[in-house]
């Protein structure tokens, strides 16, 4: 079976995101869920040898895997997602510095609320979330939002 290209992934994802309310919910919730996952990864305890390199943690390592996932689909989307991931890393680091010890609980509360929003959106839509069909759609969701932004500013993906 041939690997799907980015157009196929986005088209399939869009099939269950046609309702205006569901789309609006996803445009807000998907990037914020991505941010909360970065926060969870940031907060994971790291082995002592990680301390030798500033900001080396599971969130920054996860960023490498994010780039590897998207690069096989679209270079320009990879650039957009890399920039967004870097913004998330900066926001998480800043939050942790401003509110030490509050990152995990804040991310957990946000994560639950945001996923409730997602499921409300899918209830309104009348379709199941795409990731029930293929777990990779959890990575396509953020790319779907990024592709929308890129289309709006005239950047091809």
């Amino acid at each position: 079976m041939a690997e799907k290209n980015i157009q196929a992934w986005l088209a399939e994802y869009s099939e269950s995101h046609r309702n205006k309310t569901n789309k609006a919910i996803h445009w807000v919730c998907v990037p914020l869920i991505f941010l909360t996952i970065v926060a969870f990864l940031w907060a994971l305890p790291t082995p002592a040898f990680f301390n030798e390199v500033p900001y080396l943690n599971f969130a920054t390592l996860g960023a490498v895997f994010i780039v590897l996932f998207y690069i096989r689909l679209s270079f320009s989307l990879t650039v957009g997602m890399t920039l967004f991931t870097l913004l998330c890393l900066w926001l998480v680091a800043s939050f942790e510095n401003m509110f030490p010890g509050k990152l995990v609980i804040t991310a957990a509360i946000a994560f639950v609320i945001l996923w409730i929003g997602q499921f409300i959106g899918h209830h309104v839509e009348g379709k199941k979330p795409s990731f029930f069909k293929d777990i990779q759609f959890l990575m396509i969701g953020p790319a779907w939002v990024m592709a929308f932004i890129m289309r709006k500013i005239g950047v091809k993906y």
Side-chain angles (χ1 to χ4, degrees):
M1 177 184 282
E3 186 174 316
K4 289 184 213 175
N5 65 25
I6 190 61
Q7 295 301 336
W9 278 110
L10 295 175
E12 190 172 345
Y13 188 85
S14 292
E15 289 174 13
S16 60
H17 302 88
R18 298 199 185 281
N19 177 281
K20 280 186 171 188
T21 301
N22 189 30
K23 281 183 179 181
I25 289 169
H26 277 67
W27 289 332
V28 172
C29 292
V30 167
L32 292 175
I33 288 170
F34 188 97
L35 175 64
T36 63
I37 292 169
V38 171
F40 289 136
L41 291 172
W42 187 275
L44 286 174
T46 56
F49 67 88
F50 277 39
N51 297 334
E52 301 297 319
V53 180
Y55 297 105
L56 178 60
N57 58 43
F58 290 109
T60 55
L61 288 176
V64 172
F65 290 103
I66 289 166
V67 170
L68 293 174
F69 178 84
Y70 291 119
I71 196 72
R72 66 188 178 90
L73 297 173
S74 163
F75 178 76
S76 57
L77 258 178
T78 301
V79 171
M81 288 306 301
T82 300
L83 292 173
F84 178 66
T85 302
L86 291 172
L87 172 64
C88 289
L89 289 166
W90 178 79
L91 288 170
V92 167
S94 298
F95 186 93
E96 181 67 14
N97 286 333
M98 288 190 288
F99 307 102
K102 304 289 187 207
L103 182 62
V104 172
I105 190 67
T106 303
I109 291 168
F111 185 83
V112 169
I113 292 168
L114 293 164
W115 271 105
I116 289 170
Q118 294 278 80
F119 283 106
I120 289 170
H122 279 286
H123 177 74
V124 170
E125 179 87 37
K127 294 188 179 180
K128 292 180 185 177
S130 303
F131 74 88
F132 284 175
K133 180 179 177 186
D134 187 332
I135 195 81
Q136 292 181 82
F137 279 111
L138 290 173
M139 294 291 287
I140 298 302
W144 179 77
V145 174
M146 183 60 66
F148 172 82
I149 293 167
M150 291 173 76
R151 277 192 309 274
K152 285 291 184 187
I153 62 173
V155 176
K156 291 186 178 194
Y157 56 87

